[in-house]
Amino acid sequence: MTTTGAVIVDAVAYAQAVEDAVKASAAYYAAGTSVLDDDAYDRLVRAIAAWETEHPEQVLTASPTGKVAGGAVQGDVPHTVAMLSLDNVFSPEEFTAWSASLARRIGHDVTRFSVEPKLDGLAIAARYTRGRLTQLITRGDGTAGEDVSHAIGTIEGLPDELAEPVTVEVRGEVLMTTAQFEHANEVRTAHGGAPFANPRNAAAGTLRARERAYTVPMTFFAYGLLPAEESGECAHSDLMARAMAYGVNTTATTAVPGSTADTVEGVLNRVAEIAALRASLPFGIDGIVVKADLAADQRAAGSGSRAPRWAIAFKLRAVEKITRLLAVEWNVGRTGIIAPRAVLEPVEIDGSTITYATLHNPADITRRDLRLGDPVMVHRAGDVIPRVEAPVAHLRTGDEQPIVFPEVCPRCGSDIDTSEQRWRCTNGRNCHLVASLSYAAGRDQLDIEGLGHTRVVQLVDAGLVTDLADLFALTRDQLLGLERMGETSTDNLLAALATAKAQPLSRVLCALGVRGTGRSMSRRIARYFATMDHLRAADAETIQQVEGIGVEKAPSIVAELAELSPLIDRLTVAGVNMTEPGATPPAPKAEGTDGGDGADGDDGVQISDAAAGPLAGMAVVVTGAMTGPLEKLTRNQMNELVERAGGRSSSSVSKKTTLVVAGEGAGSKRAKAETLGIRLTTPDEFAALVADYLDTV
């Protein structure tokens, strides 16, 4: 590729840009590959359009500006009605200008718009005859497409038979969800193929594949229904309701259902809501589609050769870009986990410059067949940590080199335990003792004031501390012997250590850093078992009674606690609290019982007092800045408060969420709660609800 800039300076550069755009489009629509990511392609086409506006006499017939997306692909199945693309806008100002031009064209303001997510996949037409799915056709050049009926039966949301025996054509988008994409790449690489770069390319390539030794599922969402003669005046929103009644999948089943708005302001509000939810969706969207909803308005507006004049795509900022993998760093975490991190050629994604991305683990690197120097697709959305999706294999030059895995711990030189997907230094926590102790002393764990990173380094370097229990054996004379430790600092630190001994079991568990448990899980475990003795006596089956602990995690927790047993004994001797206030230990199982599921109180397990609290049975999400009585609480303390009042804290909003505490600046989580109809409360209202528990955190 030679032309990806935003400005074309002469006719030679214009011709090259057209050639580049045509090649990129052909590669994508033919095989699901492309030498350009979406953002680069959009910028290239906008630059072509700008040149053509200034030089209309030099427009080339091959230009993508006058063609339907996918037009480079030949097809021999005529469409019943032209299957057009959409023009784009990129800002509220551009959308407002478009809506004004639409009003001038039809002679009045649009009284109702439909607003739907723009799904990031491949457009197809699905033809049903008397209720039976008989043919699938790609968009092609808009007038004819390719028959891909061989994919019937592999696309979720596109039933083989409708709920009614009607003859209709459903139009929509075939895509892969995040989970389907991961599965597709696992299957593809297992059969010796190169991994797909992203879900969009995976869907496009898979839909056209005819003679593979395997099949992988895809998902369909309808965005159009060619009406029968008697329903030719149906609004778009009504047609979508009809498609859903037939049994076809629509966005109505998602967190971003299609909706209608009466004004431009209403449309822009809905655009903002969908954009805020983008990062949490299980499938990709690259914009929002806005249409004049009423059939009369659509007919009055008409269509051009490339796109309807009554619909527009409000494009969102790109969340995926192609860049280069320069190196892999191997970092050791506080529990000894050895984690690879991708070092990237800097690239701007969604407003941020990205130089590092997640690689998960060595098995992930092997499965994705990543190599140093690879062109890679990098994904970032919202506050999500950037991740490398896969190499863009068709752009490889042949100069790429294999990634070398460490043979010993890169931090301390000890052996590496490779028995699990996440590799770990055999020295465990002692490999990164400073990080482990600093974490344990943190505000959300033991909250040892005055024991910051610098002080921990000093204690470790002096040989006074080799593990967490050593902190509680420190003497006044030992501390006074350190540099920059006067009497006041020494007494303050000893007082803070004494206070830390009284922290609840949940915080002690968190400070220990048991793998597979974080702050929230530590609280659940502590509430369930009430004492460290009961927890240490539990087997894997018993630990599975704690919500969120499954068959894989439970044995790991049992093994971790056994490994930590000498340290726990020393902490107990030092006077560190090993009980959870307000929690009641599980009673012994009655003879002849099967143990139940620990959820209903009828299986021999005593439910703690928190189960009767004001939040009993509720899943609560806290978002935004807290005010009033909650102003000084950290997010972890807020979660503790939720759980002490009988609720379950969560970091994400879903259909299972009961209540969202929305403080100042609450954004996407509040928007998602409103979309799902979940109860919202202010910080002051929530403080009143849990007033009896405020003093416990």
Side-chain angles (χ1 to χ4, degrees), residues 175-302:
L175 53 79
M176 281 190 184
T177 65
T178 303
Q180 287 173 338
F181 170 61
E182 291 292 330
H183 172 69
N185 267 350
E186 288 177 4
V187 174
R188 183 174 170 84
T189 54
H191 283 80
F196 290 112
N198 58 25
R200 181 189 62 255
N201 290 9
T206 300
L207 186 65
R208 287 192 167 82
R210 293 180 180 272
E211 296 182 356
R212 281 185 182 160
Y214 60 90
T215 59
V216 291
M218 297 172 284
T219 297
F220 177 84
F221 286 95
Y223 62 62
L225 181 69
L226 296 190
E229 293 297 326
E230 70 275 9
S231 58
E233 290 301 306
C234 276
H236 172 73
S237 54
D238 293 333
L239 290 174
M240 287 297 90
R242 180 175 296 184
M244 188 175 180
Y246 288 156
V248 176
N249 196 31
T250 74
T251 59
T253 62
T254 73
V256 284
S259 60
T260 59
D262 299 333
T263 64
V264 169
E265 292 74 18
V267 170
L268 292 176
N269 287 338
R270 183 57 181 153
V271 166
E273 290 173 355
I274 295 175
L277 296 172
R278 183 186 192 185
S280 63
L281 297 175
F283 48 80
I285 67 171
D286 59 359
I288 293 92
V289 176
V290 184
K291 302 174 182 176
D293 192 49
L294 302 181
D297 288 345
Q298 295 180 9
R299 188 169 55 252

Side-chain angles (χ1 to χ4, degrees), residues 159-459:
D160 292 345
E161 187 171 358
L162 299 178
E164 298 179 27
V166 292
T167 298
V168 293
E169 183 173 307
V170 182
R171 291 182 172 181
E173 205 84 1
V174 172
L175 53 79
M176 281 190 184
T177 65
T178 303
Q180 287 173 338
F181 170 61
E182 291 292 330
H183 172 69
N185 267 350
E186 288 177 4
V187 174
R188 183 174 170 84
T189 54
H191 283 80
F196 290 112
N198 58 25
R200 181 189 62 255
N201 290 9
T206 300
L207 186 65
R208 287 192 167 82
R210 293 180 180 272
E211 296 182 356
R212 281 185 182 160
Y214 60 90
T215 59
V216 291
M218 297 172 284
T219 297
F220 177 84
F221 286 95
Y223 62 62
L225 181 69
L226 296 190
E229 293 297 326
E230 70 275 9
S231 58
E233 290 301 306
C234 276
H236 172 73
S237 54
D238 293 333
L239 290 174
M240 287 297 90
R242 180 175 296 184
M244 188 175 180
Y246 288 156
V248 176
N249 196 31
T250 74
T251 59
T253 62
T254 73
V256 284
S259 60
T260 59
D262 299 333
T263 64
V264 169
E265 292 74 18
V267 170
L268 292 176
N269 287 338
R270 183 57 181 153
V271 166
E273 290 173 355
I274 295 175
L277 296 172
R278 183 186 192 185
S280 63
L281 297 175
F283 48 80
I285 67 171
D286 59 359
I288 293 92
V289 176
V290 184
K291 302 174 182 176
D293 192 49
L294 302 181
D297 288 345
Q298 295 180 9
R299 188 169 55 252
S303 298
S305 60
R306 178 183 180 277
R309 299 187 181 96
W310 43 267
I312 201 78
F314 192 119
K315 293 296 287 288
L316 300 175
R317 288 199 296 195
V319 295
E320 288 185 334
K321 292 284 187 70
I322 296 174
T323 188
R324 196 163 298 279
L325 176 62
L326 301 179
V328 173
E329 295 179 348
W330 297 89
N331 300 315
V332 184
R334 57 182 173 79
T335 63
I337 295 295
I338 301 170
R341 182 173 72 161
V343 182
L344 306 171
E345 190 173 281
V347 61
E348 185 174 321
I349 306 179
D350 198 20
S352 298
T353 299
I354 306 301
T355 54
Y356 299 100
T358 295
L359 285 177
H360 300 297
N361 54 59
D364 184 65
I365 292 174
T366 301
R367 181 173 63 81
R368 296 179 192 275
D369 188 28
L370 287 167
R371 307 170 193 174
L372 295 180
D374 258 340
V376 292
M377 187 69 73
V378 180
H379 178 96
R380 179 186 185 271
D383 295 327
V384 176
I385 297 173
R387 67 175 184 268
V388 173
E389 291 279 34
V392 187
H394 63 279
L395 295 183
R396 282 175 169 159
T397 64
D399 294 330
E400 295 79 17
Q401 298 296 316
I403 294 171
V404 178
F405 294 173
E407 296 181 358
V408 296
C409 174
R411 181 174 181 83
C412 71
S414 299
D415 290 338
I416 298 175
D417 178 0
T418 61
S419 62
E420 298 181 12
Q421 282 199 337
R422 299 183 72 191
W423 290 6
R424 189 186 189 209
C425 173
T426 54
N427 239 351
R429 292 165 182 78
N430 291 333
C431 174
H432 211 335
L433 181 59
V434 170
S436 179
L437 292 175
S438 296
Y439 174 80
R443 184 176 180 183
D444 291 333
Q445 287 71 248
L446 296 179
D447 194 16
I448 306 174
E449 190 173 346
L451 192 60
H453 177 81
T454 301
R455 188 68 68 205
V456 171
V457 171
Q458 189 179 24
L459 291 169

Side-chain angles (χ1 to χ4, degrees), residues 580-622:
E580 184 71 6
T584 304
K589 284 187 271 189
E591 188 175 349
T593 65
D594 62 3
D597 61 6
D600 56 15
D602 294 326
D603 57 359
V605 175
Q606 296 180 22
I607 305 301
S608 74
D609 294 340
L615 304 181
M618 299 173 68
V620 182
V621 173
V622 179

Side-chain angles (χ1 to χ4, degrees), residues 26 44 60 129 146 193 208 233 248 276 530 538 677:
L44 184 59
L60 297 174
T129 303
E146 176 187 357
R208 287 192 167 82
E233 290 301 306
V248 176

Side-chain angles (χ1 to χ4, degrees), residues 99-108 297-298 300-304 309-310:
S99 64
S101 69
L102 177 59
R104 290 192 297 272
R105 185 177 293 276
I106 66 177
H108 60 82
D297 288 345
Q298 295 180 9
S303 298
R309 299 187 181 96
W310 43 267

